[in-house]
Amino acid sequence: MDLRAVRGMNDILPEQVRRWHQLEADFRLHAELYGYAEVRTPLLEHTSLFSRQMGETTDVVEKEMYSFERHGEQLTVRPEGTASAARAYVEHSVHAKEPITRWYYLGPMFRGERPAKGRYRQFYQAGCEVLGDAGPVCDAEMLDLIAGFLRRIGVPDFTIHVNSLGSAGTRGRYRDKLLEYFTPLRDRLSEDSQRRFERNPLRILDSKDPRDQEAAKGAPSILDLLDDDDLAHWKGFLHALDVLGLPYVVDPGLVRGLDYYTRTLFEVKAVGSDLGAQSTLLGGGRYDTMIESLGGPKVPAIGFAMGLERLLTVIPEPPPRRGPGCFIAPIGAAAADRALLLARELRSFGVRVELDGRGVKLKPMLRRADALGARLCIILGDGEIERGVVTVKDLVGHAQDEIPFEGAARVLADRVSEPSPDISHARGLR
RNA sequence: GUGGGUAUAGCUCAGGUGGUAGAGCACUGGAUUGUGGCUCCAGUUGCCGCGGGUUCGAGUCCCGUUACUCACCCCA
């Protein structure tokens, strides 16, 4: 095969799409329960939106975006959802129409990273954003939504990690303190962290390298630098989590890659999964200054996004798809005509029908019906036409009888909805 | 961008020390002129990733290359 999908971009075949539908439906349900409404934004945005919002020096912006020029415009295929949602919020002056806005989104994102397990160049994210609510209860409720959703879809075990970055000033002060702390230890850090030292010293804290972990042991905590307002928010957040009974881990080393976060920061990791290094199922946090920096009003905001591929590798396989209610096996040209009409009528009763139009012998048709896991097989040949009947074979049991062709659809529709006579033979459903 | 692993039938994979391809599953036909699943029999499917080298001879050894994959970086 010389034609392949683009690297890092995957086909999702129907067998798997079922799982995606299920996941998406569960997400929508939970988001709606908490008052969120779906927003849909374009896949393409002006490049500047992302470079300004995510931070010029983040890896995503520096080397992972699919950017190009077209008709004199610098465009980028969205690498994440928050920037677009924020842009739409500002563009439509939503703040002037309602004090609090709760939006969710769902769709593909694109980053030109080297693919690995649970990480692809086209990947799907679902996320929520609350705009206009600065309170810590809002942050805790978002985690409540998340935890309920994860349990609902069957994530076996996960941990919630939380941290606070304070406001912009706090972050700057903390950065200085960290630099001060790491400077004498600098030559003991890993090569990667030597680089981080220059660019983003906060990231040294969550390095996986044992040398860095050793060096970071006595590092100052950002939580000690929070000002009164930040601290009140942080405490309110933890209090609300306690009220909700949500277990969490305070992780002062939790730093996220995007520059726009303030105060609350959280991450949910899968426990005991085979996701390898990509065990982070979702991440989010508060971005109280982003809307304003986008040229919008002073509106606080918080959001999270989760990777659907990662969720899918962690949750159990759903039961197999049920077969059609009726499989129609016509034998001969006259039967084929009748079968065509019968199939349509059955469907009008809401019965899922598969008609075998191959014109082959009965045996392969029955085999096909069985492989599909059909409930009933309708056999229609010359004999049946002469007698004005159809033969109905129960594929779950073995029973077979004839019913009048006239009014057959209604009778079959009723029969399909009945419980199977002998469930122990329900095999071949794969 | 860096490092490791892998590449043989539609799928999952065997193929010591080089002798010109195999199994299971799937699919098709038959045993059963119009009756599925189970069983039995038979059959179809391969540029052995690609290019080059060594050799009388390469799926097997060497070099290169591409793809996939895992890990790092980073992130969902």
Side-chain angles (χ1 to χ4, degrees):
Chain A
M1 265 275 269
D2 50 345
L3 275 182
R4 303 176 143 276
V6 175
R7 179 204 267 279
M9 310 208 174
N10 305 111
D11 298 312
I12 305 170
L13 268 15
E15 195 184 345
Q16 285 298 311
V17 169
R18 291 178 54 236
R19 304 187 67 203
W20 286 81
H21 282 328
Q22 185 62 56
L23 189 64
E24 289 160 8
D26 282 335
F27 172 69
R28 287 201 159 88
L29 174 70
H30 278 257
E32 300 273 352
L33 279 173
Y34 283 77
Y36 293 79
E38 181 173 355
V39 62
R40 297 194 183 190
T41 63
L43 262 57
L44 290 181
E45 296 278 359
H46 293 289
T47 300
S48 58
L49 173 67
F50 300 113
S51 52
R52 279 166 58 198
Q53 288 331 116
M54 300 174 79
E56 297 279 0
T57 60
T58 55
D59 277 42
V60 173
V61 169
E62 276 192 339
K63 52 188 194 193
E64 294 172 3
M65 296 202 302
Y66 283 97
S67 300
F68 56 95
E69 187 189 318
R70 185 77 182 179
H71 303 309
E73 293 184 300
Q74 296 297 328
L75 303 175
T76 292
V77 194
R78 66 180 184 191
E80 60 118 46
T82 299
S84 299
R87 195 222 77 234
Y89 178 84
V90 172
E91 187 166 335
H92 299 279
S93 297
V94 180
H95 72 285
K97 300 168 186 160
E98 57 187 22
I100 297 179
T101 299
R102 297 180 203 278
W103 281 354
Y104 72 87
Y105 60 86
L106 187 59
M109 307 292 165
F110 300 81
R111 291 182 199 173
E113 306 174 276
R114 186 90 166 255
K117 193 181 183 67
R119 180 176 60 210
Y120 307 100
R121 290 185 168 180
Q122 173 171 339
F123 62 105
Y124 293 79
Q125 278 191 338
C128 291
E129 315 285 350
V130 181
L131 302 112
D133 186 346
V137 169
C138 172
D139 307 17
E141 261 212 311
M142 186 167 269
L143 278 166
D144 194 48
L145 185 171
I146 289 165
F149 169 70
L150 294 180
R151 279 196 294 266
R152 156 94 180 195
I153 62 173
V155 176
D157 198 9
F158 57 87
T159 54
I160 299 171
H161 297 253
V162 297
N163 191 24
S164 176
L165 289 185
S167 6
T170 320
R171 205 170 169 171
R173 275 183 286 136
Y174 182 55
R175 185 193 161 97
D176 293 343
K177 269 213 139 173
L178 264 190
L179 285 177
E180 198 178 300
Y181 170 80
F182 277 120
T183 298
L185 302 169
R186 195 170 170 181
D187 51 2
R188 274 191 252 162
L189 297 174
S190 68
E191 297 72 27
D192 284 331
S193 284
Q194 307 265 352
R195 213 184 64 243
R196 293 184 181 113
F197 186 90
E198 302 289 345
R199 300 186 28 167
N200 192 350
L202 305 232
R203 296 219 67 99
I204 300 175
L205 296 175
D206 62 359
S207 167
K208 286 163 197 146
D209 193 295
R211 286 171 291 175
D212 299 334
Q213 290 179 353
E214 181 63 30
K217 267 185 181 159
S221 166
I222 193 168
L223 294 173
D224 295 330
L225 295 187
L226 298 184
D227 65 27
D228 290 349
D229 288 346
D230 290 341
L231 196 61
H233 187 277
W234 171 241
K235 292 204 161 148
F237 172 50
L238 297 187
H239 172 73
L241 289 178
D242 291 334
V243 170
L244 288 165
L246 292 174
Y248 56 85
V249 179
V250 174
D251 183 356
L254 173 59
V255 188
R256 301 186 46 72
L258 282 9
D259 282 355
Y260 52 60
Y261 289 113
T262 56
R263 290 191 171 165
T264 305
L265 202 56
F266 58 84
E267 209 165 82
V268 174
K269 289 174 187 281
V271 176
S273 74
D274 61 350
L275 257 178
Q278 268 67 44
S279 63
T280 301
L281 297 175
L282 76 266
R286 194 159 266 292
Y287 48 100
D288 287 340
T289 57
M290 184 205 278
I291 300 298
E292 192 180 6
S293 73
L294 250 183
K298 242 192 161 105
V299 172
I302 181 169
F304 77 92
M306 41 192 185
L308 300 189
E309 286 87 350
R310 291 182 188 183
L311 289 178
L312 284 169
T313 71
V314 158
I315 65 179
E317 200 66 42
R321 181 188 199 231
R322 291 185 34 220
C326 285
F327 185 94
I328 304 184
I331 304 160
D337 290 353
R338 290 201 161 199
L340 213 42
L341 295 171
L342 175 60
R344 186 162 72 182
E345 198 183 352
L346 270 167
R347 291 178 186 126
S348 76
F349 282 101
V351 177
R352 185 147 55 95
V353 177
E354 188 148 335
L355 170 62
D356 197 327
R358 290 180 293 177
V360 296
K361 287 199 274 190
L362 180 58
K363 183 175 179 136
M365 291 198 285
L366 269 168
R367 192 180 294 167
R368 172 74 183 149
D370 188 59
L372 285 172
R375 176 81 165 75
L376 301 176
C377 183
I378 314 306
I379 301 169
L380 195 50
D382 292 340
E384 281 83 0
I385 291 176
E386 274 175 35
R387 294 195 294 281
V389 299
V390 296
T391 294
V392 184
K393 186 176 179 62
D394 190 306
L395 291 173
V396 180
H398 292 277
Q400 178 169 320
D401 62 343
E402 293 186 347
I403 63 173
F405 184 80
E406 216 47 55
R410 163 138 297 216
V411 174
L412 291 169
D414 288 346
R415 204 179 280 193
V416 163
S417 63
E418 287 169 9
S420 165
D422 184 1
I423 208 73
S424 70
H425 285 80
R427 41 163 302 109
L429 299 176
R430 238 168 10 110

